[in-house]
């Protein structure tokens, strides 16, 4: 890939999405990064003010009409990597069933809508990726815990595999990404990785997915995880 390459990062107002925007800028890429309309986090816009290779768009992945509006706005752009990072752990104060529905809404329905609506923008030889989690692995679930969130990310991986089967002639690779346990608003202060370590690993792993085909479930170190 030349340094004309462009990454589209969905959900980059803070945390891992913001870190990924920084990592791709450091690697000489152009970056289109999104936040939600009315976001109170100014970090992304402040970064864009001093960085001509970064542009900021708005989208809420729970709102399909906003995804279609973004796709129309970006139509014709040369996008080499789509990273659907947006996700939620839900509100811990909610009863189990309501929290499960809330995380399914964003982490599965929203993330897959974003993938389906925006992946046609990705050029041949590019990569499409969705932020999954180590906790998505059904075969790796020996400890339990985090049941609503874990279930949503397992369902995301399952949907992604269906999408891969439907898109087997697509000219890009598809990746479910496990970023490690990272110190963000979601990961909390006790997480073992900082954002820079995780996103450096994820960015390099995704660069390795350019020019490939098919689906993989990979962590930030480029290791294959069990579905
Ligand atoms: N941190 C970890 O240890 C960890 C581990 C495994 C996987 N992950 C996954 O990595 C991704 C990023 O996590 P994080 O730790 O950076 O979380 P975070 O700090 O809570 O940030 C979440 C990001 O997603 C955005 N978002 C949430 N719902 C959205 C929606 N409906 N539409 C558009 N954007 C939305 C947020 O935007 P607002 O600012 O507008 O809310 C924010 O930019 C998530 O998919 C998460 O599940 C994280």
């Amino acid at each position: 890939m030349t340094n004309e390459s462009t990454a589209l990062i969905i959900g980059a107002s803070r945390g891992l999405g913001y870190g990924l925007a920084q990592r791709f800028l450091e690697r000489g890429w152009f970056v289109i990064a999104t936040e939600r309309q009315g976001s109170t986090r100014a970090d992304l816009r402040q970064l864009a003010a001093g960085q001509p290779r970064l542009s900021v768009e708005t989208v809420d992945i729970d709102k399909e009409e906003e995804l279609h509006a973004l796709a129309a706005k970006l139509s014709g752009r040369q996008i080499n990597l789509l990273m659907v990072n947006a996700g939620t752990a839900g509100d811990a104060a909610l009863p189990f069933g309501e929290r499960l529905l809330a995380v399914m809404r964003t982490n599965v329905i929203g993330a897959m809508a974003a993938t389906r609506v925006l992946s046609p923008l990705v050029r041949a030889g590019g990569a499409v990726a969705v932020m999954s989690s180590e906790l998505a692995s059904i075969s790796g679930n020996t400890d339990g815990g985090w049941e609503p969130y874990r279930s949503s990310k397992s369902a995301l991986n399952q949907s992604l595999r269906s999408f891969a089967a439907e898109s087997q002639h697509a000219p890009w690779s598809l990746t479910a990404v496990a970023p490690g346990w990272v110190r963000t608003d979601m990961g909390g202060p006790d997480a073992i990785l900082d954002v820079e370590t995780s996103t450096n690993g994820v960015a390099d792993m995704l660069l390795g997915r350019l020019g490939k085909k098919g689906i993989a479930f990979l962590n930030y170190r480029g290791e294959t995880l069990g579905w």
Side-chain angles (χ1 to χ4, degrees):
M1 280 294 145
T2 69
N3 60 8
E4 298 293 307
S5 297
T6 299
L8 171 58
I9 302 172
I10 304 299
S13 61
R14 55 195 168 100
L16 292 170
Y18 180 78
L20 281 170
Q22 289 179 304
R23 301 293 88 74
F24 278 95
L25 289 169
E26 288 164 6
R27 285 158 176 75
W29 282 50
F30 287 80
V31 174
I32 305 166
T34 74
E35 61 181 8
R36 285 193 269 196
Q37 185 81 45
S39 173
T40 53
R41 296 289 291 246
D43 313 41
L44 193 58
R45 276 161 278 143
Q46 280 166 2
L47 187 63
Q51 175 48 270
R53 283 185 287 109
L54 173 62
S55 55
V56 179
E57 301 288 349
T58 56
V59 75
D60 183 331
I61 65 169
D62 293 348
K63 297 177 179 166
E64 200 157 336
E65 68 280 7
E66 290 192 12
L67 288 166
H68 285 290
L70 180 63
K73 188 170 182 187
L74 298 179
S75 164
R77 292 287 296 267
Q78 302 275 335
I79 290 168
N80 306 93
L81 168 72
L82 166 65
M83 175 75 231
V84 179
N85 169 75
T88 180
D91 181 350
L94 286 175
F96 175 86
E98 283 178 44
R99 191 176 183 187
L100 180 62
L101 286 172
V103 292
M104 287 287 186
R105 179 71 194 86
T106 297
N107 296 351
V108 189
I109 301 170
M112 286 311 301
T115 305
R116 288 178 189 280
V117 171
L118 299 172
S119 58
L121 297 169
V122 178
R123 299 288 148 157
V128 174
V130 173
M131 197 61 97
S132 180
S133 168
E134 283 77 358
L135 295 177
S137 174
I138 291 175
S139 56
N141 183 2
T142 51
D143 298 334
W146 284 77
E147 192 178 335
Y149 178 78
R150 192 190 278 277
S151 300
S152 73
K153 293 293 187 176
S154 297
L156 172 64
N157 279 11
Q158 181 72 277
S159 291
L160 209 62
R161 286 192 64 122
S162 292
F163 180 65
E166 291 162 24
S167 321
Q168 52 185 301
H169 300 300
W172 28 252
S173 63
L174 196 53
T175 309
V177 177
W181 184 24
V182 193
R183 290 190 292 278
T184 62
D185 293 340
M186 185 187 297
D190 297 332
I192 55 177
L193 296 173
D194 59 35
V195 168
E196 192 167 355
T197 302
S198 170
T199 52
N200 263 318
V202 170
D204 287 341
M205 178 273 282
L206 290 174
L207 291 177
R209 295 291 289 154
L210 297 169
K212 304 250 171 71
K213 297 274 183 69
I215 187 166
F217 182 21
L218 298 170
N219 70 12
Y220 72 102
R221 291 193 293 228
E223 297 161 338
T224 296
L225 301 183
W227 295 97

